Amino acid sequence: MRILPVLAAVSLSTVVVAAPASASPPTPALGPTATGYGGAVSTVDPTATAVGLDVLRHGGNAVDAAVAAAATLGVTEPFSAGIGGGGFFVYYDAKRHRVSTIDGRETGPATMTSTYFINPETGKPYDFQEARVSGLSAGVPGTLATWEAAARSWGTRPLSRLLRPAAAVADRGFPVDATFRQQVTDNAAAFGQFDATSAIYLPGGQPPAVGSILRNPDLADTYRLIARKGTDVFYRGPIAADIVRTVQHPPVSAHPIGTWAYPIRPGRLTRDDIASYRVRRPAPTRSDFRDLTVYGMSTPSSGGTAVGEALNILEQSRLSGADVTQVLHHYLEASALTFADRGRYVGAYTPQWILDRLISDRWARQRACQISPSAAMTKPVPPGDITASGCTPAAVGGPTEQGRSTTNLTVADRWGNVVEYTLTIEQTGGNAMVVPGRGFLLNNELTDFNFTGTQGDAPDPNLPGPGKRPRSSMSPTIVLSGGKPFLALGSPGGATIITTVLQILVNRLILGMPLPAAMAAPRASQRNTAGIQAEPAFHTRYGPALTALGHTFGPDTPELGAATAMEFTSHGGIIATAEPVRRGGGAAGVVHPAR
Ligand code: GLU
């Protein structure tokens, strides 16, 4: 979102906690980079960052601040985040020197089968948009359960208190910026089919004007109801009933705004599906890069194994001192190899030995030996054979990819705890249905399953199944040096999340850029397709040299990702960064700014 001076911060502090507003040091305008100490918050949105900083200033820890900021993003970034969706929370506990994760990914209905997205009338898969704007695409939301699990396990405040500032923002409203308006405009046809959605986001039948104040009193009431009664109202009570009704009987308007090209189909989620939702707490993925340890999210996200595998391949390539073209060439090749393996092997139920193998140095050697410094491989490349050793063997089956909205936040506190959290409702605007009377959009996360097999004769690890979680690309990543946090980062962007996180790490760790420059640098994404998806500035700057090595570009894309990141320097220093330009720029803030 656009960078605004944080007028909200002072008044928020009166809402968040009992301490008088005057106890807070003045909050400077939040830009994309802030340096200092005492804790920090980086999100895509100044209001959410201000809320998180306020919690830190009043003695909350990183988990408290992350939950309060995420709840605020549910108001101000409702098309990417919110209690109708899911996500992955990675936490470094400074006292225990341990990285833990929460898997808050959505689950499919217990009745879901591998042909869930095949139209029974035609025997063919639904078009993506037809599946998306339907009850079929909505999984059981995991976000609220994630907040509760995080707050209970590691926080110092009850969830009820952490929801309050977000409820206040929803009541008071926030200024619409150009990014927000554009997101509505892009989704107006879908939103216009549902009165509950258009009542909030299409006031007067139009996307809200830039600078207008958008309020969401239903969401404020929902947050307050949860705060009063606990998360059972959502998973077992009246909100669960409303979610099921919305999914099974999509509340299509009698007077839609605009036209939608597809029938809007009901889904099959039940009260039991929602009541039986549990977060998982998988061990993080762990791999080494030089003398650093890289922790990421395990399945059902493919983020941790993919970032780890690609970094391992790059480590094999011995790139220190290499010129920028060679580094980028290897980055693109390592990424293509990794995506081939991800497509072939990684899904919710991948056995642990395969995941371990994929981020082992032995596997990296087996894959890295296929990269030539002088010629790009023909894409798509086949996946490696997980049961074989040596350089050449390829497994059967082939790859494909698709592309999407989400949001990411990074929080650290004065005690050295760090949270890296990516949350989403999948597409910008999820399945386009606001649950009537509740003020939040439902996700369309189940369309992250492959609708049909993508691996030729080999099994596809990401087909739908009963109660299954769709594979994700979300890659919240924490890098330790000598056992202490060194970097934390993550991004939205569908499958490009993996390459965005990887490229920022390549920029920082191999090319030696300072973190803000590593973040700002133009991006490209090679996900094992014929053409590299690149931002125009990347294509212009590096295209000629990479094309000479045999890389193919296209189609270009205006921007990839909307990352947030932090670097932890000596003596408790923090460099907090967000995007300077992408998605209108983000907002980073520190508790005590460096002078
Ligand atoms: N649903 C996607 C995933 O889990 C994220 C969508 C996005 O970031 O745009 O991988």
Short mmCIF file of all heavy atoms in Angstrom, two decimals, residues 88 105 301 342 403-407 422-428 445 448 470-474 491-495 497 583, ligand 1:
data_model
loop_
_atom_site.label_atom_id
_atom_site.label_comp_id
_atom_site.label_asym_id
_atom_site.label_seq_id
_atom_site.Cartn_x
_atom_site.Cartn_y
_atom_site.Cartn_z
N PHE A 88 1.23 -19.37 7.05
CA PHE A 88 2.32 -20.10 7.72
C PHE A 88 3.12 -19.13 8.57
O PHE A 88 3.58 -18.10 8.10
CB PHE A 88 3.22 -20.76 6.69
CG PHE A 88 2.52 -21.78 5.85
CD1 PHE A 88 2.09 -21.47 4.56
CD2 PHE A 88 2.25 -23.05 6.34
CE1 PHE A 88 1.43 -22.41 3.79
CE2 PHE A 88 1.59 -24.00 5.57
CZ PHE A 88 1.17 -23.68 4.30
N ARG A 105 -2.66 -23.72 7.19
CA ARG A 105 -3.17 -23.85 5.83
C ARG A 105 -4.62 -24.34 5.85
O ARG A 105 -5.00 -25.13 6.72
CB ARG A 105 -2.31 -24.88 5.09
CG ARG A 105 -2.58 -25.04 3.61
CD ARG A 105 -2.21 -23.82 2.83
NE ARG A 105 -2.03 -24.10 1.41
CZ ARG A 105 -1.90 -23.14 0.48
NH1 ARG A 105 -1.92 -21.86 0.83
NH2 ARG A 105 -1.72 -23.46 -0.78
N SER A 301 3.52 -26.43 2.64
CA SER A 301 4.18 -25.46 1.76
C SER A 301 5.39 -26.12 1.12
O SER A 301 6.09 -26.91 1.76
CB SER A 301 4.63 -24.21 2.51
OG SER A 301 5.12 -23.30 1.54
N ARG A 342 10.02 -29.92 -7.26
CA ARG A 342 8.84 -29.56 -6.45
C ARG A 342 7.56 -30.12 -7.08
O ARG A 342 6.72 -30.73 -6.41
CB ARG A 342 8.77 -28.03 -6.38
CG ARG A 342 7.48 -27.45 -5.83
CD ARG A 342 7.56 -25.92 -6.03
NE ARG A 342 6.36 -25.22 -5.62
CZ ARG A 342 5.33 -25.00 -6.42
NH1 ARG A 342 5.31 -25.46 -7.66
NH2 ARG A 342 4.30 -24.30 -5.97
N GLY A 403 0.07 -18.93 -11.90
CA GLY A 403 0.46 -17.79 -11.14
C GLY A 403 -0.53 -17.01 -10.28
O GLY A 403 -1.67 -17.36 -10.19
N ARG A 404 -0.42 -15.39 -8.74
CA ARG A 404 -1.48 -14.92 -7.82
C ARG A 404 -1.21 -13.75 -6.81
O ARG A 404 -0.24 -13.13 -6.83
CB ARG A 404 -1.76 -15.97 -6.76
CG ARG A 404 -2.67 -17.02 -7.27
CD ARG A 404 -2.12 -18.25 -7.35
NE ARG A 404 -2.30 -19.00 -8.47
CZ ARG A 404 -2.86 -20.17 -8.46
NH1 ARG A 404 -3.44 -20.56 -7.38
NH2 ARG A 404 -2.86 -20.84 -9.50
N SER A 405 -2.84 -13.48 -4.52
CA SER A 405 -2.36 -12.41 -3.64
C SER A 405 -2.35 -12.81 -2.18
O SER A 405 -3.21 -13.59 -1.77
CB SER A 405 -3.18 -11.17 -3.83
OG SER A 405 -2.54 -10.16 -3.10
N THR A 406 -1.53 -12.21 -1.51
CA THR A 406 -1.10 -12.65 -0.19
C THR A 406 -0.41 -11.47 0.48
O THR A 406 -0.17 -10.45 -0.16
CB THR A 406 -0.10 -13.81 -0.36
OG1 THR A 406 -0.74 -14.82 -1.08
CG2 THR A 406 0.40 -14.37 0.95
N THR A 407 -0.06 -11.63 1.73
CA THR A 407 0.73 -10.57 2.35
C THR A 407 1.70 -11.19 3.34
O THR A 407 1.49 -12.30 3.82
CB THR A 407 -0.18 -9.51 3.01
OG1 THR A 407 0.62 -8.37 3.34
CG2 THR A 407 -0.83 -10.03 4.29
N THR A 422 3.55 -15.35 6.64
CA THR A 422 2.89 -15.10 5.36
C THR A 422 1.46 -15.60 5.45
O THR A 422 1.23 -16.74 5.86
CB THR A 422 3.59 -15.82 4.19
OG1 THR A 422 5.00 -15.66 4.30
CG2 THR A 422 3.13 -15.27 2.85
N LEU A 423 0.52 -14.74 5.11
CA LEU A 423 -0.89 -15.17 5.14
C LEU A 423 -1.61 -14.73 3.88
O LEU A 423 -1.18 -13.80 3.20
CB LEU A 423 -1.60 -14.68 6.40
CG LEU A 423 -1.82 -13.20 6.67
CD1 LEU A 423 -2.86 -13.05 7.78
CD2 LEU A 423 -0.56 -12.51 7.09
N THR A 424 -2.71 -15.43 3.58
CA THR A 424 -3.31 -15.24 2.27
C THR A 424 -4.77 -15.68 2.26
O THR A 424 -5.19 -16.44 3.13
CB THR A 424 -2.53 -16.07 1.21
OG1 THR A 424 -3.02 -15.76 -0.09
CG2 THR A 424 -2.68 -17.57 1.44
N ILE A 425 -5.52 -15.16 1.27
CA ILE A 425 -6.78 -15.81 0.94
C ILE A 425 -6.71 -16.34 -0.50
O ILE A 425 -7.71 -16.59 -1.12
CB ILE A 425 -8.01 -14.89 1.19
CG1 ILE A 425 -7.95 -13.60 0.37
CG2 ILE A 425 -8.13 -14.55 2.68
CD1 ILE A 425 -9.26 -12.77 0.48
N GLU A 426 -5.48 -16.47 -1.01
CA GLU A 426 -5.12 -16.99 -2.33
C GLU A 426 -5.22 -15.87 -3.38
O GLU A 426 -4.38 -15.01 -3.36
CB GLU A 426 -5.96 -18.21 -2.72
CG GLU A 426 -5.23 -19.25 -3.57
CD GLU A 426 -4.58 -18.75 -4.81
OE1 GLU A 426 -5.22 -18.65 -5.87
OE2 GLU A 426 -3.36 -18.48 -4.75
N GLN A 427 -6.19 -15.89 -4.30
CA GLN A 427 -6.26 -14.81 -5.27
C GLN A 427 -6.57 -13.48 -4.57
O GLN A 427 -7.16 -13.48 -3.48
CB GLN A 427 -7.38 -15.08 -6.28
CG GLN A 427 -7.11 -16.23 -7.20
CD GLN A 427 -6.11 -15.88 -8.27
OE1 GLN A 427 -6.34 -14.99 -9.08
NE2 GLN A 427 -4.98 -16.57 -8.28
N THR A 428 -6.23 -12.36 -5.19
CA THR A 428 -6.64 -11.07 -4.66
C THR A 428 -8.17 -11.06 -4.59
O THR A 428 -8.84 -11.16 -5.60
CB THR A 428 -6.14 -9.94 -5.59
OG1 THR A 428 -4.74 -10.08 -5.73
CG2 THR A 428 -6.48 -8.57 -5.01
N GLU A 445 -8.45 -20.99 -1.55
CA GLU A 445 -7.15 -21.69 -1.47
C GLU A 445 -7.16 -23.06 -2.15
O GLU A 445 -6.11 -23.55 -2.60
CB GLU A 445 -6.74 -21.86 -0.01
CG GLU A 445 -5.25 -21.72 0.23
CD GLU A 445 -4.78 -20.30 0.10
OE1 GLU A 445 -5.34 -19.40 0.76
OE2 GLU A 445 -3.82 -20.06 -0.66
N ASP A 448 -5.35 -24.03 -5.25
CA ASP A 448 -3.91 -24.31 -5.28
C ASP A 448 -3.63 -25.80 -5.52
O ASP A 448 -2.48 -26.18 -5.75
CB ASP A 448 -3.23 -23.87 -3.98
CG ASP A 448 -2.75 -22.42 -4.03
OD1 ASP A 448 -2.91 -21.78 -5.08
OD2 ASP A 448 -2.22 -21.93 -3.02
N PRO A 470 -3.89 -27.93 0.31
CA PRO A 470 -3.24 -27.73 -0.99
C PRO A 470 -1.78 -27.29 -0.82
O PRO A 470 -1.45 -26.62 0.16
CB PRO A 470 -4.06 -26.62 -1.64
CG PRO A 470 -4.75 -25.91 -0.52
CD PRO A 470 -4.93 -26.91 0.59
N ARG A 471 -0.96 -27.67 -1.77
CA ARG A 471 0.44 -27.23 -1.72
C ARG A 471 0.51 -25.72 -1.84
O ARG A 471 -0.20 -25.11 -2.63
CB ARG A 471 1.22 -27.85 -2.89
CG ARG A 471 2.68 -27.41 -2.90
CD ARG A 471 3.47 -28.10 -3.99
NE ARG A 471 2.98 -27.76 -5.31
CZ ARG A 471 3.07 -28.56 -6.37
NH1 ARG A 471 3.64 -29.75 -6.27
NH2 ARG A 471 2.59 -28.18 -7.53
N SER A 472 1.39 -25.14 -1.06
CA SER A 472 1.61 -23.70 -1.10
C SER A 472 3.03 -23.41 -1.55
O SER A 472 3.90 -24.28 -1.55
CB SER A 472 1.41 -23.12 0.30
OG SER A 472 1.83 -21.77 0.34
N SER A 473 3.23 -22.15 -1.92
CA SER A 473 4.59 -21.68 -2.22
C SER A 473 5.07 -20.70 -1.16
O SER A 473 6.17 -20.14 -1.28
CB SER A 473 4.61 -20.97 -3.57
OG SER A 473 4.18 -21.85 -4.56
N MET A 474 4.26 -20.46 -0.14
CA MET A 474 4.63 -19.44 0.84
C MET A 474 5.94 -19.85 1.53
O MET A 474 6.12 -20.99 1.92
CB MET A 474 3.49 -19.22 1.83
CG MET A 474 2.31 -18.53 1.15
SD MET A 474 1.01 -18.05 2.28
CE MET A 474 -0.03 -19.49 2.22
N SER A 491 7.40 -13.14 1.23
CA SER A 491 6.72 -12.34 0.20
C SER A 491 5.43 -13.02 -0.22
O SER A 491 5.30 -14.23 -0.08
CB SER A 491 7.63 -12.22 -1.03
OG SER A 491 6.98 -11.52 -2.07
N PRO A 492 4.49 -12.28 -0.79
CA PRO A 492 3.40 -12.90 -1.54
C PRO A 492 3.83 -13.17 -2.97
O PRO A 492 4.97 -12.88 -3.34
CB PRO A 492 2.31 -11.81 -1.51
CG PRO A 492 3.07 -10.54 -1.48
CD PRO A 492 4.34 -10.82 -0.70
N GLY A 493 2.91 -13.70 -3.77
CA GLY A 493 3.18 -13.84 -5.20
C GLY A 493 2.98 -15.22 -5.78
O GLY A 493 3.59 -15.56 -6.80
N GLY A 494 2.14 -16.06 -5.16
CA GLY A 494 1.92 -17.40 -5.71
C GLY A 494 3.25 -18.13 -5.81
O GLY A 494 4.11 -17.99 -4.94
N ALA A 495 3.44 -18.87 -6.89
CA ALA A 495 4.67 -19.65 -7.01
C ALA A 495 5.91 -18.76 -7.13
O ALA A 495 7.03 -19.20 -6.86
CB ALA A 495 4.57 -20.61 -8.19
N ILE A 497 6.64 -16.56 -5.13
CA ILE A 497 7.14 -16.30 -3.77
C ILE A 497 8.51 -16.94 -3.60
O ILE A 497 9.45 -16.35 -3.06
CB ILE A 497 6.18 -16.90 -2.71
CG1 ILE A 497 4.86 -16.15 -2.69
CG2 ILE A 497 6.84 -16.88 -1.32
CD1 ILE A 497 3.79 -16.82 -1.82
N ARG A 583 3.65 -2.82 -5.26
CA ARG A 583 2.34 -2.72 -4.58
C ARG A 583 2.17 -1.41 -3.83
O ARG A 583 1.61 -1.36 -2.74
CB ARG A 583 2.14 -3.87 -3.59
CG ARG A 583 1.50 -5.06 -4.23
CD ARG A 583 0.62 -5.80 -3.23
NE ARG A 583 0.60 -7.20 -3.59
CZ ARG A 583 0.17 -8.17 -2.82
NH1 ARG A 583 -0.25 -7.90 -1.60
NH2 ARG A 583 0.16 -9.39 -3.24
N1 GLU B 1 -2.07 -19.35 -2.57
C1 GLU B 1 -0.69 -19.10 -2.80
C2 GLU B 1 0.18 -20.11 -2.10
O1 GLU B 1 -0.17 -20.55 -1.06
C3 GLU B 1 -0.27 -17.74 -2.39
C4 GLU B 1 -0.92 -16.72 -3.24
C5 GLU B 1 -0.09 -15.46 -3.42
O2 GLU B 1 0.84 -15.22 -2.76
O3 GLU B 1 -0.41 -14.64 -4.27
O4 GLU B 1 1.18 -20.45 -2.57
#
